[in-house]
Amino acid sequence: MNNVEQENYGFKFQLDDFQVEAISCINKLKNVVVCAPTGAGKTVIAEYAIMKALEEGKRLFYTTPLKALSNQKFHDFSEAYGKDKIGLLTGDISINRQAKIVVMTTEVFRNMLYGTTLGKVEENLKNVNFVVLDEVHYMNDEQRGTVWEESIIYCPGYINIIALSATIANAVELTDWINEVQGETYLVNSDFRPVPLRHFYYSDSCADRILPLFSAEGRLNKKIKPEKKFRKYIKASKKDEKTHVKLIKILNDRDMLPAIYFAFSRKRCNGYLEDCRKLKLLNNFEERRLSQIIDEYILDNPYIARSKQLEYLYHGVAAHHAGLLPGWKGLIEKLFQQGLIKVVFATETLAAGINMPARTTIISSISKRSDEGHRVLTSSEFLQMSGRAGRRGMDEVGYVITIGDPYHHPEEMAELASSTANPLESKFTPRYSMVLNLLQRFTIEEARELILKSFGYHTSVERLKPLHTELERIEGIIEDITGFKCPYYLTAEDVKDYNKFKNMFIQYRKTLKVLKKQVSKGEPYPPEVEDHEQKTRELENKVKQSKCDMCKNYKKHIRNLEILPRFDRKYRRIKDSIEYEKDIYWRQFLNLMKVAELTGHLENNYPTRKGFMTAAARVENEIFFIELIVRGILDDLSCAELAAVICAIVTEETRSNFYQKYKIGKKVRKALYESQDLMKKLWRMQQEYDVTVPVNLTADYSGFIENWALGVDWEELVAGSEVDEGDLVRIFKRTLDLLRQLTMIPDINRELVKTAIMAIDCINRDPVSEVI
């Protein structure tokens, strides 16, 4: 092999320096963390590992955070390396699972490491040399971040980890942690973008042009002025074009399409789409090609033909958000990748994972609504969206356009556009299944060691920095107090005695004055007054005999002695807080153990029969789910009724003023009533032991799935409903996933398993069935 071939490692193009560096680590069989911007070419590193595994007759697991991304990688790799060599595992789909290269969601890989319903760990990981953890920055995800930490902690040492991440602020810290947990790990950190980005500004005040966001010196362009908050009211004509329509026309004229237009609500995406119905962004050839692809797609997915948004595709525009059917989104992605959709109005979920690069990204606002109210985008969110601009091999430059508004100064936009990524934060969360899986295989001491390997524990020093800073401050104050030297070498007790006598003397003197005033002039003082006067003189003598009485430092000394106990208490309290927070994950683990013991899932630190069932479950609250099963609450239900109850368990979100088009059946209501009683008991027990694992039971969608399982047509199901089709499909898929789990959990009533299998068959039909 000559030097050029060696540098390219079998690829037909010149590799970038960071790719060569990462491949070198793979050849040395070392763990490697690769941090590089979106679109920089991190997948090439994974592709080299795939080629190496195939060449050496070894196996490789490729994990992704999303089923859609796993499906996409499965198709890409099957085309590149042959269908017989590639497998797919996404929980509900299993294709060629013994293949040399298996693409899977990260949850499936984590479950394999536990060795539950997926088989023995040794069998699952036989001959596996590499695991690629794609999009490892998902560790920041509030709900699912813990899965990445668990996967890294429990991954056997003989498997080399290739962690691919977007740019993060604490890449060194992440690498140090993996090095500590898994052995020698290298960091390849690159800010190189093969397609550089240029930032622009657009607003109503300059609706006929886009302005560069930055000057040549890298500062905010002086031509950009803040938008006025109160514009003079001008009656708009119906013929007036909307801002986003004007912008798209400008981009089309300047050959800056295709574009992803990020809005932050489904309603806005759909509204923008409707406003573009008169645009014509495709040429004749593109129109014919688009019609051909749509017609072919509809043959395989007939339900697509009734979509209200179909007409907009012929204008070269589309919407993409979670409220749309997965099959519809699949069509949009296919058309966009082929350049036949010129503008996609999307929520920020499109920025995560799916391969849909564009020439331009448009960010409609630098703030969005969240659970805590309106907030400004984080640096990482802005980078993730802007990183979709610029297609390698197609564009010389990518364009990022930020829309100005009256609520944000242009300086804020410039600051966000030039900021670096946020750091990864641990979302490690012990759960019942984790507790029971670990205690199946390890002693409680070994389980503690594994829990303390979490990224959260590793980063606790940084996380607890404010407490450590306060502790150091208090420690300094205590040292100053205790370091004070009395010039007369008096002890603390001597000074306290003096202070006590002095206070007594002052009080006696005041009382004496009052007593003397009460005696008439010329009359002798009563014996009580004379006694009091005598005690006052004695106290005065004691005070004057003390060295403290003439000492200038007395006030400082006594004040120090008075405040020292308070600072001692504060010091102990902060130190206890640090210890508590440092061991928070282990405390959570122990609290979960207590609830598992009280509910009969754990005995003598080892799972019971129920505990083994719970260990195999993957649901929000595993104990709640298994208790429903073992108590017979799910028995004697039809397949449609079982689906309705399971749907209530997997539904997290609730909707206010929700129109219930379909009512649930009598047996479902009874089962939900019994489930609610169990839920309350478990919730009270969890509160007692400070366990915060949610217990979901929301029947908002149960009527829908019950009728769907009974054979109601999809069009009839959604007609007149306020529910987005995409939401229904997502809830139905979650229900399917839990029903599939139910069929694999050990020791379950066989009749219940049969009912679950029937329910799966009834639910899993178009458009709910997976599109591959």
Side-chain angles (χ1 to χ4, degrees):
M1 185 184 288
N2 61 42
N3 289 339
V4 174
E5 286 176 334
Q6 193 168 357
E7 282 182 16
N8 290 341
Y9 291 103
F11 292 98
K12 294 178 181 178
F13 49 84
Q14 186 70 39
L15 296 180
D16 297 323
D17 290 346
F18 84 94
Q19 293 168 331
V20 173
E21 188 181 347
I23 286 171
S24 174
C25 295
I26 292 170
N27 285 334
K28 293 174 186 173
L29 298 180
K30 304 298 182 187
N31 301 315
V32 61
V33 175
V34 183
C35 292
T38 303
K42 295 187 289 290
T43 305
V44 168
I45 296 160
E47 287 171 353
Y48 176 79
I50 290 172
M51 292 189 292
K52 182 176 175 65
L54 291 174
E55 188 180 312
E56 296 176 356
K58 301 293 184 182
R59 300 179 73 208
L60 176 144
F61 287 169
Y62 190 106
T63 77
T64 79
L66 306 169
K67 287 182 181 180
L69 189 53
S70 292
N71 293 339
Q72 187 179 74
K73 293 296 181 185
F74 172 71
H75 283 300
D76 292 347
F77 295 159
S78 295
E79 196 173 313
Y81 307 109
K83 289 184 179 180
D84 60 315
K85 296 183 178 69
I86 311 297
L88 177 66
L89 285 173
T90 59
D92 51 350
I93 295 172
S94 177
I95 300 173
N96 197 13
R97 64 175 294 166
Q98 298 302 325
K100 293 293 184 186
I101 311 300
V102 185
V103 182
M104 62 187 71
T105 53
T106 316
E107 277 87 351
V108 169
F109 179 62
R110 186 272 312 271
N111 296 347
M112 278 187 174
L113 297 174
Y114 281 141
T116 52
T117 55
L118 291 168
K120 293 181 179 179
V121 178
E122 299 76 18
E123 288 298 317
N124 286 332
L125 305 179
K126 190 176 181 180
N127 214 24
V128 175
N129 251 27
F130 302 100
V131 60
V132 177
L133 297 174
D134 200 0
E135 310 282 351
V136 82
H137 52 269
Y138 259 76
M139 274 174 63
N140 254 354
D141 187 89
E142 199 70 46
Q143 302 294 323
R144 300 167 60 218
T146 185
V147 175
W148 277 260
E149 288 194 55
E150 291 174 61
S151 298
I152 291 168
I153 292 167
Y154 307 139
C155 184
Y158 62 83
I159 296 179
N160 296 111
I161 293 173
I162 302 167
L164 307 179
S165 172
T167 308
I168 53 173
N170 56 343
V172 172
E173 200 169 27
L174 174 66
T175 308
D176 287 345
W177 170 63
I178 298 177
N179 189 74
E180 188 179 290
V181 172
Q182 285 292 342
E184 198 169 3
T185 304
Y186 290 88
L187 171 64
V188 177
N189 205 353
S190 173
D191 58 1
F192 170 73
R193 276 193 62 93
V195 181
L197 296 180
R198 287 185 191 164
H199 289 268
F200 289 85
Y201 177 88
Y202 183 77
S203 70
D204 283 331
S205 61
C206 55
D208 58 335
R209 61 200 172 120
I210 56 174
L211 297 170
L213 184 61
F214 296 105
S215 65
E217 297 79 28
R219 298 190 185 91
L220 176 69
N221 186 348
K222 289 181 180 178
K223 293 181 180 178
I224 297 173
K225 305 297 179 187
E227 297 297 299
K228 292 180 180 177
K229 290 194 176 180
F230 302 102
R231 285 175 164 275
K232 188 177 178 183
Y233 177 72
I234 301 172
K235 188 174 180 180
S237 165
K238 288 185 179 179
K239 294 181 180 179
D240 285 352
E241 285 185 332
K242 301 285 178 68
T243 304
H244 44 277
V245 178
K246 290 178 185 176
L247 176 58
I248 290 167
K249 283 186 173 181
I250 292 171
L251 298 181
N252 191 40
D253 291 342
R254 294 183 60 167
D255 194 25
M256 291 170 70
L257 298 179
I260 299 173
Y261 198 120
F262 287 108
F264 296 105
S265 75
R266 302 174 188 183
K267 186 177 179 181
R268 190 169 291 174
C269 288
N270 294 339
Y272 286 178
L273 182 67
E274 289 175 17
D275 294 335
C276 295
R277 60 186 175 275
K278 292 183 180 178
L279 289 178
K280 181 174 167 42
L281 302 176
L282 303 177
N283 60 38
N284 292 335
F285 172 77
E286 288 171 333
E287 284 179 356
R288 288 196 300 273
R289 179 67 183 134
L290 178 131
S291 296
Q292 181 187 352
I293 292 174
I294 291 174
D295 291 344
E296 290 172 359
Y297 198 85
I298 288 174
L299 286 175
D300 294 329
N301 307 275
Y303 61 89
I304 294 293
R306 63 175 179 74
S307 172
K308 293 176 183 177
Q309 295 190 2
L310 186 61
E311 62 171 296
Y312 300 111
L313 299 186
Y314 297 97
H315 297 274
V317 293
H320 190 291
H321 54 70
L324 299 170
L325 291 170
W328 176 260
K329 289 191 288 185
L331 173 61
I332 302 305
E333 290 158 17
K334 184 175 183 178
L335 293 172
F336 192 83
Q337 286 162 5
Q338 296 198 24
L340 300 174
I341 294 292
K342 301 300 181 181
V343 180
V344 170
F345 296 104
T347 52
E348 71 270 31
T349 52
L350 184 63
I354 299 298
N355 183 26
M356 281 182 64
R359 181 167 294 169
T360 301
T361 58
I362 304 159
I363 299 171
S364 63
S365 173
I366 63 165
S367 66
K368 67 172 186 176
R369 191 182 300 279
S370 69
D371 294 338
E372 292 79 36
H374 244 77
R375 66 167 178 81
V376 174
L377 298 174
T378 65
S379 301
S380 290
E381 286 170 337
F382 189 90
L383 283 169
Q384 195 75 23
M385 287 185 278
S386 60
R388 289 288 160 196
R391 299 163 298 175
R392 188 167 189 164
M394 298 177 69
D395 301 321
E396 290 184 6
V397 66
Y399 305 102
V400 181
I401 301 172
T402 308
I403 308 291
D405 60 53
Y407 310 104
H408 301 99
H409 195 282
E411 285 284 2
E412 289 182 76
M413 300 175 187
E415 185 180 341
L416 200 54
S418 58
S419 61
T420 55
N422 301 106
L424 276 187
E425 293 179 13
S426 173
K427 307 298 179 187
F428 187 72
T429 312
R431 306 191 76 83
Y432 291 119
S433 57
M434 181 195 293
V435 170
L436 294 160
N437 274 300
L438 289 182
L439 293 178
Q440 277 184 53
R441 299 168 56 200
F442 303 104
T443 65
I444 192 163
E445 292 77 18
E446 290 169 332
R448 185 176 191 274
E449 284 180 24
L450 286 168
I451 294 299
L452 296 184
K453 283 183 176 182
S454 70
F455 186 55
Y457 188 83
H458 179 82
T459 58
S460 61
V461 174
E462 189 64 31
R463 182 166 48 87
L464 300 175
K465 215 172 202 176
L467 282 177
H468 280 291
T469 303
E470 180 64 5
L471 190 71
E472 286 173 13
R473 187 182 75 83
I474 301 298
E475 203 170 22
I477 292 170
I478 291 172
E479 283 176 4
D480 285 345
I481 292 172
T482 54
F484 176 79
K485 300 295 182 186
C486 174
Y488 300 103
Y489 304 102
L490 297 180
T491 65
E493 290 306 314
D494 293 335
V495 178
K496 287 177 184 177
D497 285 345
Y498 166 76
N499 191 58
K500 182 178 73 174
F501 290 133
K502 183 180 179 182
N503 289 334
M504 285 173 65
F505 165 65
I506 292 169
Q507 193 60 45
Y508 265 74
R509 190 172 59 186
K510 284 181 181 177
T511 306
L512 183 63
K513 282 182 181 179
V514 173
L515 292 172
K516 283 183 174 181
K517 281 182 181 179
Q518 290 174 352
V519 178
S520 301
K521 235 178 184 184
E523 290 185 12
Y525 292 127
E528 299 87 18
V529 177
E530 289 180 349
D531 287 346
H532 196 85
E533 189 173 17
Q534 179 62 32
K535 286 179 183 176
T536 305
R537 285 198 198 97
E538 288 172 4
L539 286 170
E540 185 179 15
N541 290 334
K542 276 188 179 182
V543 168
K544 288 183 175 178
Q545 285 169 13
S546 173
K547 300 288 186 185
C548 293
D549 198 52
M550 61 187 77
C551 182
K552 293 179 181 178
N553 293 320
Y554 157 70
K555 286 185 178 179
K556 181 181 179 182
H557 197 166
I558 193 63
R559 184 176 176 277
N560 284 348
L561 292 175
E562 286 172 347
I563 65 174
L564 182 60
R566 184 161 39 113
F567 281 103
D568 275 335
R569 287 194 300 273
K570 195 169 184 180
Y571 180 83
R572 285 195 300 272
R573 195 166 60 245
I574 294 172
K575 197 160 189 178
D576 288 345
S577 294
I578 289 171
E579 288 305 311
Y580 181 87
E581 287 295 321
K582 200 163 71 170
D583 282 347
I584 192 165
Y585 304 114
W586 181 241
R587 290 176 195 277
Q588 289 173 358
F589 191 93
L590 292 175
N591 291 344
L592 290 165
M593 279 182 66
K594 288 172 186 172
V595 176
E597 285 169 357
L598 288 170
T599 52
H601 293 250
L602 193 67
E603 191 175 308
N604 297 324
N605 297 336
Y606 193 76
T608 60
R609 173 181 161 272
K610 281 200 298 186
F612 276 97
M613 295 168 72
T614 306
R618 295 290 173 270
V619 65
E620 193 76 72
N621 193 307
E622 304 92 333
I623 282 183
F624 176 57
F625 178 53
I626 297 303
E627 285 295 322
L628 290 176
I629 294 170
V630 297
R631 293 180 185 219
I633 294 174
L634 303 182
D635 293 347
D636 303 322
L637 297 174
S638 69
C639 61
E641 291 164 345
L642 177 63
V645 178
I646 296 294
C647 179
I649 296 167
V650 300
T651 303
E652 297 169 19
E653 62 268 21
T654 57
R655 294 181 53 150
S656 56
N657 303 320
F658 183 56
Y659 167 58
Q660 295 285 1
K661 180 180 177 182
Y662 294 102
K663 306 300 179 186
I664 54 178
K666 187 177 178 181
K667 289 179 78 173
V668 175
R669 279 199 301 274
K670 181 176 179 292
L672 290 175
Y673 180 80
E674 292 174 359
S675 303
Q676 198 167 42
D677 187 49
L678 173 63
M679 180 182 76
K680 288 175 182 175
K681 288 176 183 175
L682 181 59
W683 183 252
R684 283 194 292 269
M685 191 183 295
Q686 288 191 162
Q687 280 188 312
E688 187 179 344
Y689 289 98
D690 198 25
V691 170
T692 57
V693 180
V695 191
N696 297 324
L697 195 70
T698 307
D700 286 354
Y701 299 94
S702 293
F704 283 97
I705 202 164
E706 186 176 2
N707 280 271
W708 176 246
L710 288 169
V712 172
D713 177 73
W714 185 263
E715 197 165 352
E716 182 186 341
L717 189 76
V718 299
S721 166
E722 301 169 2
V723 183
D724 284 341
E725 292 178 87
D727 289 335
L728 267 185
V729 169
R730 188 171 66 257
I731 295 293
F732 287 11
K733 281 181 178 290
R734 283 184 197 164
T735 305
L736 280 171
D737 182 54
L738 194 51
L739 285 166
R740 288 191 182 98
Q741 287 187 50
L742 196 154
T743 65
M744 294 185 287
I745 291 171
D747 293 334
I748 286 186
N749 176 343
R750 297 321 299 168
E751 287 303 315
L752 180 57
V753 171
K754 287 179 185 176
T755 307
I757 291 169
M758 288 171 61
I760 291 167
D761 290 338
C762 292
I763 298 168
N764 199 30
R765 52 195 173 95
D766 283 344
V768 178
S769 54
E770 188 74 43
V771 178
I772 295 290

